[in-house]
Amino acid sequence: MELLSSEDFKNTKIEPGWTAMDYLLEVVRVEQEKMQEQIFVKEKKNGRLKRKRRIQENNNKNKRLITSYPSKPLLPEGLKRHIVENMGGSNCVLVIQKQLFLSDVNPQASRLLIPFSQVESHEFLNESEVDRLKNKEAIKACLVEPSMEEIEINFKWWNMRKNSMYVITTSWNSIVKNNRLKVEDIVQLWSFRVNSTLCFAFQKL
């Protein structure tokens, strides 16, 4: 990815009360938007080339090709069975499906960003949990990896003026290492409940 320049921040409005964390999160937001734009342009270009080849291959059949996007996969049966039968979990809900950026796999940062704009639904949280997060209190939760290993994480809310997000910290570097995560990998984060306690399941597609 190209390095950020002052031009990338031309639409950023600096507020007088910003803290060092606000500046850092704004840099992360701009970095992700720039990377998403570059990936979109690349995929759009590749998509046109692929469609052109398909049209040429099927020209003699006089078929019109239609590009469709697959629906989001469901939670794998093995992982779902482990949650339900071994952990006594219920109410599995997809929180987010996202493409990983450099900021998500950087060992110095050690956190997964979950932008509100990409969250499927915020209803996986109850009122008490929302209040705790708004008060900048981290929620300790269990996260189940694809290997069925369970690991403790901290789930937080970073409240920014322009782009609030949930964040997973604590042990995230271990999750990256265990699952060999890298930039552009597609991952899913699911939530579920065990005796009303918030838990998560992680899946690499």
Side-chain angles (χ1 to χ4, degrees):
M1 173 184 167
E2 298 177 6
L3 295 176
L4 296 178
S5 66
S6 58
E7 182 67 17
D8 295 312
F9 295 90
K10 63 182 180 181
N11 296 323
T12 296
K13 183 179 180 182
I14 305 298
E15 301 290 342
W18 274 22
T19 65
M21 180 62 72
D22 290 326
Y23 285 108
L24 176 61
L25 291 176
E26 181 65 12
V27 170
V28 171
R29 183 189 69 80
V30 172
E31 175 197 42
Q32 288 199 343
E33 286 185 353
K34 186 171 184 178
M35 184 173 288
Q36 284 177 331
E37 182 179 353
Q38 291 176 348
I39 291 172
F40 174 77
V41 171
K42 180 180 178 182
E43 289 180 344
K44 187 176 181 180
K45 181 179 179 181
N46 290 339
R48 284 198 298 264
L49 291 174
K50 289 178 181 177
R51 284 195 294 271
K52 185 176 180 180
R53 284 197 298 267
R54 287 171 184 161
I55 291 172
Q56 290 172 341
E57 291 170 358
N58 293 279
N59 189 44
N60 61 334
K61 298 179 182 178
N62 196 26
K63 289 184 177 180
R64 185 176 181 180
L65 299 178
I66 300 175
T67 303
S68 60
Y69 294 92
S71 59
K72 292 176 181 175
L74 300 175
L75 186 64
E77 281 302 317
L79 188 54
K80 184 175 182 180
R81 191 161 49 249
H82 173 77
I83 290 171
V84 175
E85 297 179 1
N86 298 339
M87 300 182 67
S90 60
N91 298 327
C92 292
V93 176
L94 178 63
V95 177
I96 189 173
Q97 177 173 303
K98 66 168 287 185
Q99 185 177 56
L100 295 180
F101 293 93
L102 180 60
S103 57
D104 295 312
V105 296
N106 182 356
Q108 269 109 25
S110 186
R111 79 283 186 277
L112 174 68
L113 299 178
I114 308 170
F116 277 19
S117 60
Q118 298 180 44
V119 171
E120 295 289 327
S121 171
H122 297 270
E123 295 182 1
F124 68 94
L125 296 170
N126 60 36
E127 292 185 9
S128 174
E129 290 162 346
V130 171
D131 289 340
R132 289 169 60 188
L133 291 171
K134 284 184 176 179
N135 289 328
K136 299 183 178 180
E137 180 182 347
I139 296 177
K140 291 189 179 298
C142 170
L143 182 145
V144 183
E145 299 187 61
S147 64
M148 314 300 173
E149 293 292 323
E150 299 173 20
I151 191 168
E152 186 178 88
I153 61 164
N154 279 339
F155 189 76
K156 300 179 180 180
W157 181 340
W158 285 358
N159 188 21
M160 294 189 65
R161 293 167 178 81
K162 298 180 82 173
N163 190 22
S164 295
M165 59 188 72
Y166 300 119
V167 187
I168 287 179
T169 63
T170 307
S171 305
W172 178 247
N173 276 349
S174 296
I175 297 171
V176 171
K177 182 178 179 181
N178 293 345
N179 296 279
R180 299 179 180 179
L181 301 180
K182 60 185 183 300
V183 174
E184 296 190 9
D185 279 348
I186 306 295
V187 301
Q188 290 181 336
L189 182 71
W190 296 74
S191 73
F192 62 96
R193 298 277 169 175
V194 175
N195 296 326
S196 77
T197 300
L198 179 65
C199 300
F200 294 96
F202 176 81
Q203 174 67 16
K204 174 183 174 182
L205 300 183

